[in-house]
Amino acid sequence: MWVCPYCGGNKGQPFHDAQLSGVLCLSPDCGRFDARLDDERETAAWEDSDM
């Protein structure tokens, strides 16, 4: 399960485009982008409850 490195929250939205790849933290007090997720296979293994 993904954990935000900034706030410790575990609700995130995977995001990928031509320039960015990572997870956007959905915590109301955070909202930061974690670009450290390099392996797209990790997001493919996530369940809906992880988001």
Side-chain angles (χ1 to χ4, degrees):
M1 178 184 326
W2 175 82
V3 175
C4 178
Y6 304 104
C7 73
N10 62 359
K11 301 286 184 189
Q13 176 65 45
F15 179 83
H16 177 76
D17 71 2
Q19 297 176 349
L20 291 174
S21 181
V23 179
L24 177 65
C25 181
L26 298 179
S27 174
D29 295 331
C30 186
R32 292 185 176 181
F33 188 75
D34 179 16
R36 295 186 306 156
L37 185 64
D38 297 321
D39 192 351
E40 291 183 21
R41 289 174 289 163
E42 283 188 40
T43 57
W46 286 12
E47 297 176 4
D48 290 337
S49 63
D50 292 337
M51 313 236 188

